[in-house]
């Protein structure tokens, strides 16, 4: 449940409410707005005396959170979560564009791509160094060498970097290099990994599992948030259906649903959602119209040579053209791309 304090509640009154809930064995998530303090109280299902809470000094009202996801829910926090990544805000009116290759393949490849996507208007550089591949014989990524090349690309272009972390033991290493940790679709319900990235306090992009319900996805965000790590982005990357002409089916509904149920920013991944570069532009524009707070797109200077996901990668020229169109769609829905 959440306890909404009166506008002029004193520090002493707030502390008394927090102490009361902590003594009862509950975890506190404090949200200090400019007007009001909201005390989120998360338990393990044991009943808490709501009437007693409502009678405490300085308390305006007590609201139960009915959804299974608590801190992630709009009931818990009504305003959109907005936070900076580098010099760019995520979750506000301005949309964020993340772009780059599926995998970091070489120093020159990532640096060339970083310059190209920056030139075209990207705000954040993507690139996988640890790759969770369907086949153990496919390219598995360059590992730490890839992280070093990403850091060099950031140094040259100023673009913050997002890269995937695949296991808890790698979290400290990836945090040393990355500005955002990506949790891949295959690892959405890797709870040990979710705990580890939650504890890291690094910004996280949480992809939806390919066969996951929206509720399961939000419960996974809750794992990260439960550690007090509030910088979480949700990412819709397509789900499994019976259709085979596309790699996945882009669940455009999920963008609107996640925005409705949660205050967290929602990022769309039209590259994995469609799996074919020919459909990426259409899906990208649709995602912005549907309310996404940003997109993550695969871009490769020579997709035919890519070691992973070349078929869905845009060439830099096509990406640049798409960014122009994205700007127009963003304006049509009262957003903007700087
Ligand atoms: C990726 O971003 O390259 C990736 C592996 O994505 P997903 O986890 O969505 O399949
Ligand atoms: Mn990929």
């Amino acid at each position: 449940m959440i306890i909404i304090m009166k506008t002029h509640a004193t520090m002493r009154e707030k502390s008394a409410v927090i102490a009361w809930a902590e003594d009862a064995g509950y975890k506190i998530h404090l949200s200090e707005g400019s007007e009001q303090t909201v005390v989120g109280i998360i338990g393990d299902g044991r009943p808490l005396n709501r009437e007693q809470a409502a009678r405490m000094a300085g308390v305006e009202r007590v609201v139960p959170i009915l959804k299974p996801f608590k801190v992630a829910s709009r009931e818990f926090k009504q305003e959109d979560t907005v936070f900076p990544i580098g010099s760019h805000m995520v979750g506000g009116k301005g949309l964020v564009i993340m772009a780059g290759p599926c995998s970091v393949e070489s120093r020159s490849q990532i640096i060339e791509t970083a310059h190209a996507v920056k030139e075209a208007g990207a705000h954040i550089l993507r690139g996988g160094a640890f790759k969770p591949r369907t086949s153990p014989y496919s390219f598995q990524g360059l590992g730490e060498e890839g992280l070093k090349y990403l850091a060099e690309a950031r140094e040259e272009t100023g673009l913050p970097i997002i890269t995937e972390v695949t296991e808890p033991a790698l979290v400290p290493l990836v945090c040393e290099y990355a500005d955002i940790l990506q949790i891949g679709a295959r690892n959405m319900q890797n709870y040990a990994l979710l705990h580890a990235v939650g504890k890291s306090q690094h910004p996280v992009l949480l992809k939806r599992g390919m066969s996951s319900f929206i509720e399961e996805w939000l419960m996974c965000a809750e794992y990260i948030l439960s550690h007090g790590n509030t910088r979480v982005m949700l990412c819709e990357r397509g789900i499994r259906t019976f259709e085979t002409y596309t790699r996945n089916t882009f669940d455009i509904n999920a963008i609107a649903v996640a925005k409705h149920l949660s205050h967290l920013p929602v990022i769309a991944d039209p590259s994995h959602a469609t799996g074919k570069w020919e459909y990426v532009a259409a899906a990208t524009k649709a995602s912005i119209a549907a309310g996404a707070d940003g997109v993550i797109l695969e871009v490769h200077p020579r997709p035919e040579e890519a070691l992973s996901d070349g078929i869905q990668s845009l060439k830099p020229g096509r990406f640049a053209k798409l960014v122009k169109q994205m700007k127009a769609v963003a304006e049509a829905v009262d957003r903007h791309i700087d």
Side-chain angles (χ1 to χ4, degrees), residues 102 126 131 247 272 298 308-309 312:
C102 179
R126 67 149 286 151
K131 296 301 301 175
R247 180 178 180 182
H272 292 87
E298 288 187 339
S308 61
D309 289 351
Q312 66 195 33

Side-chain angles (χ1 to χ4, degrees), residues 3-7 9 13-14 17 36-37 39 57-60:
I3 299 178
I4 300 165
M5 302 299 296
K6 288 183 177 151
T7 312
E13 288 167 341
K14 292 178 199 172
V17 168
Q36 248 171 350
T37 296
V39 184
V59 170
E60 187 177 293

Side-chain angles (χ1 to χ4, degrees), residues 18-41:
I18 292 167
W20 170 79
E22 279 179 343
D23 286 349
Y26 284 75
K27 255 180 132 172
I28 303 298
H29 290 264
L30 204 58
S31 167
E32 297 254 24
S34 52
E35 296 278 302
Q36 248 171 350
T37 296
V38 175
V39 184
I41 295 176

Side-chain angles (χ1 to χ4, degrees), residues 101-103 126-128 130-133 164 182-187 205 207-208 210 235-238 247-248 269 272-273 296 298 308-309 312:
C102 179
S103 300
R126 67 149 286 151
F130 293 94
K131 296 301 301 175
R133 302 302 301 281
E164 181 162 355
Q182 176 177 322
I183 301 293
R186 289 157 192 79
N187 265 319
L205 179 118
K207 292 218 184 180
R208 180 180 177 192
M210 57 187 83
C235 178
E236 163 56 37
R237 48 77 73 204
R247 180 178 180 182
N248 290 294
D269 178 348
H272 292 87
I296 181 163
E298 288 187 339
S308 61
D309 289 351
Q312 66 195 33

Side-chain angles (χ1 to χ4, degrees), residues 145-167:
E145 190 190 346
L147 297 177
K148 289 193 170 132
Y149 296 152
L150 278 167
E152 272 189 64
R154 171 178 51 206
E155 207 144 290
E156 282 212 14
T157 59
L159 293 177
I161 55 184
I162 174 167
T163 195
E164 181 162 355
V165 59
T166 49
E167 52 182 293

